[in-house]
Amino acid sequence: MVWLVLEYLANGDSIDAVLADYPSLTREDIFACLAYASKAAKERVVPVEIRFREV
C-alpha cells in the first residue's frame, strides 16, 4: 500500500485527501510511508569487480 500512498502524494493530493479516501490510515501511517520511501530510494554504492579476458 506504500506505493499507493506515494502515488497519491506525487499526484498532488494532500495528506488529508488520502486520509479521507482511506479512513483506516492515520497521519502517522502516511509519514511512515514517506520514511520507508526515503530509505528505499537512498543511494547505495555496490563495488563491482570487472575482469577483462585477454584476447
Side-chain angles (χ1 to χ4, degrees):
M1 180 133 199
V2 171
W3 70 269
L4 184 59
V5 170
L6 295 174
E7 195 166 281
Y8 268 80
L9 297 174
N11 286 329
D13 291 302
S14 67
I15 291 175
D16 290 330
V18 176
L19 294 174
D21 286 349
Y22 296 92
S24 63
L25 293 178
T26 65
R27 190 168 295 277
E28 290 75 24
D29 293 331
I30 304 296
F31 292 135
C33 288
L34 293 170
Y36 176 83
S38 172
K39 290 202 185 271
K42 197 172 212 176
E43 184 176 317
R44 293 180 224 156
V45 176
V46 179
V48 177
E49 184 179 332
I50 300 174
R51 295 183 186 183
F52 295 98
R53 61 183 176 142
E54 294 183 31
V55 183

